[in-house]
Every structure is written in C-alpha cells, then in structure tokens.
Amino acid sequence: MSAPTKKVSRLLLSVAVPILLAHGVSAQENCPETTGLQDYINCRLGAEDLSEEEAAAEELAAAGQEDADKVANADSLGGSKLDLAKRFFTLLNLGDLKEEPTGITFSFNPELFPDLPLHFNPRVVVHEPELYETLVTEIDREGGPIAEGMRADLKDRLKKSFGDFDDTELRVVGSWRHLSRTEGAAVMAESIFEASGFETTSFNFLAEKLPTWMAVNPDLQAMTPLNTLEDGLRAQVKSDIDSFADQAAREVEALHQSLENNRFYALGMLVANDPQVSFDGFYRLREGAAGPNEWGGTARYEYGLVSYAQYLRWAGRAGRGGKSVETLNTYLARPSVQHWFKRQPRVAALLEVSRIDPFTLDRPEDGLSMKLDSIRRLTGKLTYGQVLASNPGSKFDFEARYDDFSDDLTKKNRFVATATWTQKLTDRLAQAAGGTQLVVSAIWANKPEFRGEVDRGFGMRAGLKWALDGDEQENDQGENGE
Amino acid sequence: MAAPFIRKVAMAAAPSSKRSMEASVAKSAPLIKTTLIVASSGPDDSRFKDTELTPGPARRNLVPSNSYVLGWVVAFGATGTARLKVRIIFADGTTQDQNLSVQGNLGDPPAQRVVLIP
C-alpha cells in the first residue's frame, strides 16, 4: 500500500429536508378551556401551555410557609433527596426547573451576576442514571464473562443500585459582552421602541368587559376555568375574548411593522454581530455502573462583518454621535453597508475539548471486571456563513475542522471540510415536501472517520432528512465507502 | 396536569380589597424591550416603560372598585427571554404574585401577555 493512497479523500453529498422548525408566535385557535381564564386569554395570544414546572412552582407558591416548614423537616416530607432539592430550588426562586423523562435541569437565574461583563448561565442536570453503554456491551458479549441466563438479572441489579445523583452534570454556558457598548445600543432601542407607538384598544376593551362578566358571576377570578362558567356567561366571555384576540393581533402586527420601519430589528442585528466570545463547559459526575466521569468545553469567538462596533467607528470618524437614530439610519442607508447587511456574513472560530476519565468496575461476585483508559478529544473549527443576496431565503455555510482523536482507538485524526447550501421552501413547496427548508451539503475529509487501512475511497450520499414535531428522521438513498 | 395547581393560587382575598400593585421585569438581553399597559374599567389607565420595569419594581395604586387588565408587550431586539412578576397587594396586607415569561428570537413579532385583576 503506497503512502499517497493511504490518504483517503471522500466526498459526501447529502440532501436533507428538515421541516416544521419554526412555529412562530401566532395566535392559537384551540386553547384548553380547563385552564384559568387568564391562561386561556394568554393562550389565545400565542402563549404556550403552562408547563408542569411552572405549575409546580405555582403550587409551591400557594402552599407558602406550610411547605417551607415541610422542606425544613425532611422526614415529614417523605420524599427523595431529589424531591428536596427541587423544592428548595423552587422555594428560594433560584431559577427555572425543567423536568423531562431523561432527567431534571436546574437552570440558575442569569441575573445572579448582573454587573459582570461575563454573562453566566449555570445549570445542574440530574440525569436519570442508565447503565454505561460499554458496560452493557461487555455484559451482553457472546463468549463474555457473563452467562446468557444471568445477564438480565445482573443488569437489573446494577440499575437498582443507582442513587438519585449517580449521573449529575454541572454545566456553565456564558458569553462575554461589551457592557458600555451594549448599554448605548439599549438606550437607542428604547427610544425607537417608545417612538414606535402602540395601540392599546384591545386591552381597554377587555378591561371594560371584565365588570360585565363579574356582574353575572361576582366570584369570577383570574384563574377561574372557562369551562366552569354557566353556559350563557361562557358564550359571552368566549365571544369577547375572540374579539379581543383579533384586535390584539392587529395591534401587535402594526407594532411589529413600525419597529421594522424604525430600524429596531436592524439595530438588534448590528449588536448581535458584535465580536463576542462564548463558552460552554460541563463536568459530568457518574457513579459505579453509570459510567466514568467526563468533562469538556467549547470556546467560540465570532463576529459579523457589519456590526454595532463598526457603526460606532464610522459615526466617530464622521464626527456624529452614535446614539442618534438619524445617524443609524444614515449608516444603514450607505450602499456598502446595505450590500453586506443583506448578506449577513459571519465568521467564527471554535475550540472543543473533552475527556472521559478512566473507568473501573470490579464485581468479583458476578465475575465481572472492566478497566478502560481515559479518552481525550480535541477539535478546532473555522466557519463562515452568509445569506445569498439574490435570494434572501438562501444561505451558504462553509466549515473547516480538524479532529484530534489520538486517544480514541476507534477514530482517526483528520481534516473535514463541509459546504452547505440551505434553501427556505415556499409555503406551497413546504406543504408538498412536508418540510420548511432544503439543505444540501458537500463534505470532504482527508481520512475516513474510523480506523482501518484502505487504498482509496470515494463516498456519496443522497437522502432525505425530515422532522415532524421534533422527531427527526432520515432516509439515505445510499452511500458507498472506501 | 397544570389546572389543579393553578386553582390553588386564586385570589386569597376578596378582589374588591386590592389596594396597589408592583411590577418588575428581568431580561436576558438589554435589547429586549417591554412595556406594561394598565387598562382600567375606570378612568385611571396608565403605562410603565421598560426603564421603569427593569429591574423595577414599578408601583401604582389600584382603585378597589375598578377591574384592571395588565397588557405586557415584549419586543425582541435580541434573542432571549423576559420574565414579568406582578404583585397585587390587598387591604389586609396579603399579596398575590403572578409570573409570566416569554421567549423569542431577534426579529420575532412582539409577544403579548395579559394579567387579569378583576
């Protein structure tokens, strides 16, 4: 095998159609009448249903001191350590709590550190512990240490040994922001917002209707469910809320248009394009059969070629104050700015590192012993993306990355380059295709991903990828490897 | 299910005993702008600006015999979240809190939410 042929070139072409990615905030027609009147109205305005964690928070707020006493006395609560943690977190109003079948996320309030240029968002994720995948493979291995008849029992016993916090992840997401610069932009945004005006006819209409509803039912409260009202009042309330929702939708659309015309969103885009550093770090602590500890992090530097910082520099050179909306309009009207503003070019550099600690598990009573070395992975990435000016619904992205997987016995170190074209579909096409955008990617790599010697390789892939209600599916038309 | 929990936080005191309200907003980005419109069944309409609400609290008295609709409007000059906390204070000193939160992307149409004070 000659040296040049050890280098494998590969081209992958993939066609993907992810759909239903955006739901927008449009008004809802089918809102449950079992929730409180206020929640029903908010649902008609486009709010999502009250989540279970919000409901739990409301429950705790209602229970008040009585519950606080129970929390202080763990025995009387009779719950697990995790239940206690949840109640403390909610009672102390430390942030948001999200429960999912795979675990619970405690997101601490970002306002905990308001004056720091570094914007933190710390989280603790308590995962539902699962058996470590490599361990399961070893247990199920034909000819392995565990007899076939004993495997299910062993896995069952290992699972039952898990505690509440045997798979806990600490995560910090953050970004660096230029405080004084952002504050200047916020002052300008405030003046644009105030000048945009907002009709409040719909809210006044609802305020006038409230006493008429209460004249029929004096006990009416904000949280009275709509379906508990007597038929005549229920019909009247629904009709009034329908009229309110229609008017509110017109008013918010007028405000949206006014903000657009007054460059509110353009200003936001300039600020979003300012140079920024963001990071995402995690440390995952696992116990016993849940697997080894793992840590990692991503640091990212990115900026847009048309930014608020550039606008301020231009305003300074032109001898104008950067806080004037008129100056902003003049800047955005410049041909060169318009040229790039339409395209929204964006550059990013990213460094990603992770390490899985060594893993040891000895269960001589079951004849099972496992020892795995640590694995470190390092990836460096450069990206460039922009909208295609001739077609605003079309976007081009390029990514070049190097993966250093020296510790990983299954993967190779390699360069990978990816060019992606994304086309937003028209409503008609989206309906026919069952998706909202078409994604075409061409991928080149100097080596295959997994270890193994080959002479040469050329891979191709074409397929359809789609998602329905977040359930992504893929249908590859074919791929050939080396 | 959320509904049974929600019923527990219905007004602790008689609605007609309301005396004042406080409102405060927490945002994840300064370019998210909000305003709170206080629409009354009487002539005492008012409005709080973003700078009064953040961090707040903005305060005003309520006329016990009037009903109010608080209209909270959030404009997304940045991607992120905004949270509104409204506290209603009753004559006997008891309070009732209402919390609302919205999330949106830069350029999304403004979000509207309502708090009813019958």
Side-chain angles (χ1 to χ4, degrees):
Chain A
M1 193 180 304
S2 65
T5 56
K6 285 185 180 176
K7 293 231 169 186
V8 179
S9 293
R10 131 180 312 201
L11 180 70
L12 290 169
L13 181 70
S14 68
V15 182
V17 184
I19 65 162
L20 293 179
L21 298 177
H23 295 284
V25 289
S26 58
Q28 304 293 309
E29 295 294 338
N30 302 313
C31 293
E33 297 183 16
T34 50
T35 57
L37 203 52
Q38 180 174 297
D39 293 321
Y40 178 80
I41 296 171
N42 282 327
C43 174
R44 292 285 280 111
L45 289 175
E48 289 181 2
D49 290 345
L50 199 66
S51 62
E52 284 184 18
E53 61 269 24
E54 284 172 316
E58 298 281 10
E59 179 197 23
L60 286 167
Q65 188 58 40
E66 188 186 339
D67 238 12
D69 292 342
K70 285 184 182 176
V71 171
N73 181 355
D75 292 335
S76 71
L77 195 66
S80 65
K81 288 177 188 171
L82 192 54
D83 289 333
L84 271 177
K86 281 157 56 181
R87 285 172 178 264
F88 268 121
F89 189 82
T90 311
L91 276 173
L92 296 176
N93 197 24
L94 294 177
D96 292 328
L97 200 152
K98 189 174 184 183
E99 289 194 60
E100 289 170 316
T102 53
I104 300 171
T105 302
F106 299 80
S107 298
F108 289 84
N109 288 330
E111 302 87 24
L112 289 174
F113 316 99
D115 299 324
L116 290 178
L118 276 171
H119 182 68
F120 286 98
N121 186 5
R123 267 180 279 170
V124 175
V125 187
V126 181
H127 295 277
E128 182 71 37
E130 292 287 341
L131 290 180
Y132 186 40
E133 204 177 315
T134 313
L135 176 64
V136 173
T137 307
E138 176 64 9
I139 292 172
D140 290 340
R141 184 165 58 88
E142 288 303 321
I146 311 298
E148 192 172 350
M150 302 297 290
R151 289 173 191 164
D153 175 60
L154 175 59
K155 283 190 280 189
D156 195 42
R157 279 188 286 119
L158 287 171
K159 274 186 187 174
K160 282 180 179 165
S161 71
F162 284 141
D164 279 350
F165 297 97
D166 278 1
D167 187 354
T168 304
E169 182 180 349
L170 315 172
R171 183 173 280 268
V172 176
V173 179
S175 60
W176 173 84
R177 56 184 175 181
H178 196 300
L179 268 184
S180 57
R181 193 188 290 156
T182 308
E183 279 170 9
V187 170
M188 203 191 308
E190 172 79 6
S191 63
I192 296 174
F193 183 59
E194 286 300 319
S196 293
F198 181 57
E199 288 293 326
T200 61
T201 313
S202 58
F203 298 125
N204 289 115
F205 171 80
L206 207 54
E208 283 164 17
K209 291 295 175 189
L210 258 180
T212 67
W213 303 345
M214 292 176 72
V216 181
N217 182 351
D219 296 329
L220 193 75
Q221 296 178 4
M223 300 308 174
T224 303
L226 184 60
N227 67 346
T228 61
L229 302 181
E230 60 92 9
D231 288 348
L233 178 59
R234 185 177 170 183
Q236 183 194 336
V237 169
K238 279 195 78 171
S239 166
D240 289 343
I241 292 174
D242 283 345
S243 302
F244 159 76
D246 290 346
Q247 177 65 18
R250 284 193 291 274
E251 287 171 359
V252 84
E253 178 53 37
L255 175 65
H256 185 46
Q257 200 55 56
S258 177
L259 290 171
E260 180 82 51
N261 296 342
N262 291 318
R263 305 290 199 173
F264 180 79
Y265 300 121
L267 174 63
M269 189 68 81
L270 288 178
V271 173
N273 282 344
D274 261 357
Q276 55 188 286
V277 176
S278 56
F279 57 90
D280 180 352
F282 72 93
Y283 188 55
R284 194 162 177 173
L285 297 122
R286 297 190 185 100
E287 286 290 331
N293 293 343
E294 188 177 352
W295 64 264
T298 303
R300 183 184 180 94
Y301 172 76
E302 61 184 320
Y303 65 95
L305 298 186
V306 185
S307 67
Y308 188 69
Q310 280 198 333
Y311 157 68
L312 288 182
R313 277 197 289 275
W314 172 84
R317 283 198 302 270
R320 300 167 183 241
K323 292 177 183 172
S324 151
V325 176
E326 191 184 346
T327 305
L328 177 69
N329 280 328
T330 308
Y331 177 72
L332 290 170
R334 299 177 73 223
S336 62
V337 174
Q338 283 195 343
H339 175 85
W340 289 111
F341 198 76
K342 276 183 199 164
R343 291 165 175 78
Q344 287 297 322
R346 201 167 179 84
V347 179
L350 184 144
L351 188 65
E352 198 175 286
V353 62
S354 69
R355 184 180 190 271
I356 301 173
D357 283 351
F359 176 66
T360 307
L361 186 78
D362 275 316
R363 291 183 68 94
E365 68 275 24
D366 294 311
L368 178 66
S369 178
M370 258 192 103
K371 190 172 180 185
L372 299 171
D373 289 334
S374 65
I375 298 175
R376 180 190 59 81
R377 290 173 179 165
L378 186 68
T379 294
K381 197 186 284 185
L382 287 172
T383 69
Y384 174 84
Q386 71 161 73
V387 172
L388 300 176
S390 55
N391 178 359
S394 203
K395 192 167 183 289
F396 169 77
D397 290 285
F398 175 76
E399 175 189 296
R401 76 166 197 264
Y402 181 73
D403 297 325
D404 179 351
F405 292 161
S406 300
D407 287 353
D408 192 331
L409 297 176
T410 61
K411 292 185 173 182
K412 286 186 172 184
N413 299 342
R414 64 175 190 161
F415 284 104
V416 183
T418 308
T420 303
W421 171 62
T422 307
Q423 174 63 54
K424 197 182 278 185
L425 300 179
T426 60
D427 289 346
R428 199 170 168 183
L429 261 176
Q431 204 168 10
T436 58
Q437 55 185 8
L438 173 74
V439 181
V440 181
S441 297
I443 304 167
W444 172 87
N446 71 327
K447 293 176 186 175
E449 182 177 4
F450 295 100
R451 290 178 191 252
E453 296 299 327
V454 291
D455 285 342
R456 64 181 64 231
F458 180 79
M460 245 187 123
R461 189 174 70 141
L464 287 170
K465 188 194 258 182
W466 64 92
L468 277 168
D469 294 329
D471 183 18
E472 192 175 270
Q473 300 175 48
E474 190 167 343
N475 178 16
D476 284 345
Q477 299 303 304
E479 176 174 5
N480 61 52
E482 296 76 30
Chain B
M1 280 300 293
F5 297 151
I6 293 306
R7 289 193 192 105
K8 289 185 182 176
V9 294
M11 296 281 185
S16 59
S17 72
K18 58 187 177 287
R19 284 289 178 270
S20 62
M21 61 161 281
E22 296 175 353
S24 50
V25 168
K27 303 180 297 187
S28 64
L31 264 74
I32 296 174
K33 292 292 167 192
T34 85
T35 185
L36 186 70
I37 290 134
V38 184
S40 170
S41 59
D44 57 331
D45 293 340
S46 65
R47 187 181 156 229
F48 294 116
K49 293 180 183 178
D50 186 76
T51 45
E52 295 171 295
L53 294 165
T54 313
R59 296 184 175 91
R60 63 156 283 173
N61 290 329
L62 300 173
V63 178
S65 57
N66 288 348
S67 296
Y68 296 89
V69 170
L70 309 187
W72 186 42
V73 182
V74 184
F76 293 101
T79 296
T81 57
R83 298 199 291 176
L84 169 73
K85 180 179 175 181
V86 174
R87 170 163 289 178
I88 300 155
I89 299 145
F90 297 93
D92 62 1
T94 58
T95 60
Q96 185 205 352
D97 289 348
Q98 299 263 321
N99 295 292
L100 294 173
S101 67
V102 295
Q103 185 168 12
N105 295 316
L106 167 61
D108 279 352
Q112 295 168 296
R113 296 291 182 271
V114 158
V115 174
L116 299 180
I117 310 178

